[in-house]
Amino acid sequence: MKVHKVKAAVNPGTDYEEIYPPARKLYKQIKAKTKRQPYIRAAYFNKEKVFIELFWIHLNQKNRKERNQRLKYYACGIELLRSTRQLPTTKRNPNSSNELLHRFAGVAVNGELFYIQIKENTRNKRKDLMSIFPA
């Protein structure tokens, strides 16, 4: 798997109250650009929309420590989604036969490896950002 280098830095905070506001601010900026569901245009998918609402639903199912780790990489993950053209690791979802899971790898400015995972419905071609997490 090839790794894409991003220019965004990992959020340096350690506490949830330090990490959450910048990530949510970035999300609100993206959400303000559309009247409907917030999305990012992904370079790998030929500038098709990748909806990002599912990430926040998935994030709220995690415990507080896990949320902190994932929110640190939010800005990096959004930039990776926008700019990478590297080939991801793709596999079928074992829980649902009509879904593909694409996993992209990225390296932040400080050299930390992280991944983003995109869920694609093969019937209607809808793509959702599922998760951003460190290696």
Side-chain angles (χ1 to χ4, degrees):
M1 174 188 294
K2 292 190 177 182
V3 178
H4 182 81
K5 292 182 181 179
V6 296
K7 295 175 185 170
V10 176
N11 194 331
T14 56
D15 193 22
Y16 188 73
E17 284 73 28
E18 297 172 351
I19 298 169
Y20 180 77
R24 198 63 184 184
K25 183 179 178 184
L26 178 59
Y27 172 72
K28 285 183 180 179
Q29 289 173 353
I30 295 166
K31 189 175 181 176
K33 293 180 181 179
T34 181
K35 292 180 180 178
R36 296 187 179 106
Q37 290 187 344
Y39 62 87
I40 300 289
R41 296 232 178 233
Y44 177 77
F45 297 112
N46 296 322
K47 298 293 182 182
E48 290 181 14
K49 294 177 183 178
V50 176
F51 297 97
I52 59 175
E53 189 69 32
L54 185 62
F55 170 77
W56 292 97
I57 295 167
H58 180 71
L59 185 71
N60 287 327
Q61 296 171 351
K62 303 295 179 189
N63 62 34
R64 198 165 180 93
K65 182 180 177 186
E66 207 44 49
R67 283 184 207 167
N68 286 351
Q69 289 178 341
R70 291 168 187 245
L71 281 175
K72 280 182 155 192
Y73 293 92
Y74 187 70
C76 298
I78 295 296
E79 183 184 334
L80 177 65
L81 182 58
R82 281 187 177 139
S83 61
T84 189
R85 291 197 175 271
Q86 301 290 343
L87 194 65
T89 303
T90 304
K91 65 177 186 175
R92 286 232 175 258
N93 188 348
N95 301 327
S96 179
S97 61
N98 64 333
E99 289 179 353
L100 292 175
L101 300 174
H102 305 283
R103 185 174 288 181
F104 295 90
V107 175
V109 173
N110 59 357
E112 293 182 37
L113 180 67
F114 68 96
Y115 298 100
I116 63 171
Q117 189 161 310
I118 310 292
K119 178 176 78 169
E120 178 182 3
N121 187 324
T122 55
R123 290 185 183 156
N124 59 9
K125 303 296 182 194
R126 179 186 166 102
K127 295 165 190 70
D128 292 292
L129 174 64
M130 267 184 64
S131 189
I132 301 171
F133 53 94

